[in-house]
């Protein structure tokens, strides 16, 4: 029994099939493709991560200034430096391939005492009747709105942690799992 469904699409076996010059112009993840193509060293976890990121189109290249700024965040601080946070978030959100959820993830891994991940699950479990709906349009106004949304989220998340006696450093994970449990029948939006 053949489970393959017959579809009517073009293949290399069609009489009129040709390779065009434009087919040789592979333009996908240009910088990472060059890096991976030219690297003949042994695989390690970092290289495998880059290959996976290349495949799923989620590679972001961070400039030295942004990396310096990220490293200037003290992982032991307990109080947020709002101006520095805004500056770094703006740089992150202007980086190709980085949206607010990824930016917050980077900050969270730098200092979980101050920053937590914002995502659809945690957002909907702390904001009644609301969904996290972010535009990926890179205007200054949109970026500023996302930064303000994230800062408000952190404040609100601290209050939820206080109300429910949740360790703030684990809040994103605990509330993520709680949402999976209580909202398992409610689909998430795909961006």
């Amino acid at each position: 029994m053949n489970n393959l469904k017959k579809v009517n699409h073009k293949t290399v076996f069609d009489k009129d099939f040709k390779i065009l010059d434009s087919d040789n112009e592979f333009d996908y993840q240009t910088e990472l493709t060059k890096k991976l193509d030219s690297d003949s060293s042994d695989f390690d976890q970092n290289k495998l991560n880059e290959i996976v990121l290349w495949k799923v189109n989620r590679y972001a290249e961070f400039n030295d200034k942004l990396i310096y700024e990220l490293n200037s965040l003290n992982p032991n601080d307990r109080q947020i430096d709002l101006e520095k946070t805004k500056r770094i978030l703006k740089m992150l959100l202007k980086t190709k391939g980085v949206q607010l959820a990824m930016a917050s993830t980077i900050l969270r891994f730098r200092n979980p005492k101050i920053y937590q991940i914002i995502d659809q699950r945690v957002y909907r479990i702390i904001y009644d009747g609301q969904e996290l709906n972010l535009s990926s349009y890179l205007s200054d106004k949109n970026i500023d709105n996302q930064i303000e949304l994230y800062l408000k989220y952190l404040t609100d998340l601290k209050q939820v942690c206080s109300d429910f006696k949740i360790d703030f450093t684990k809040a994103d994970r605990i509330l993520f799992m709680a949402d999976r449990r209580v909202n398992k029948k409610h689909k998430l939006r795909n961006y």
Side-chain angles (χ1 to χ4, degrees), residues 101-113:
M102 179 57 69
S104 69
T105 301
I106 291 166
L107 292 174
R108 187 243 181 260
F109 280 103
R110 183 65 185 164
N111 186 337
K113 294 177 217 87

Side-chain angles (χ1 to χ4, degrees), residues 44-57:
D44 61 12
Q45 187 63 51
N46 289 332
K47 187 171 182 178
L48 291 169
N49 289 344
E50 287 180 327
I51 292 168
V52 170
L53 292 171
W54 179 89
K55 178 62 178 160
V56 297
N57 197 17

Side-chain angles (χ1 to χ4, degrees), residues 4 44 64 75 111 119 141 143 156 179 182 187:
L4 297 177
D44 61 12
D64 291 339
N111 186 337
D119 70 9
K141 181 180 178 185
I143 288 172
D156 294 344
D179 181 79
V182 301
K187 299 284 185 209

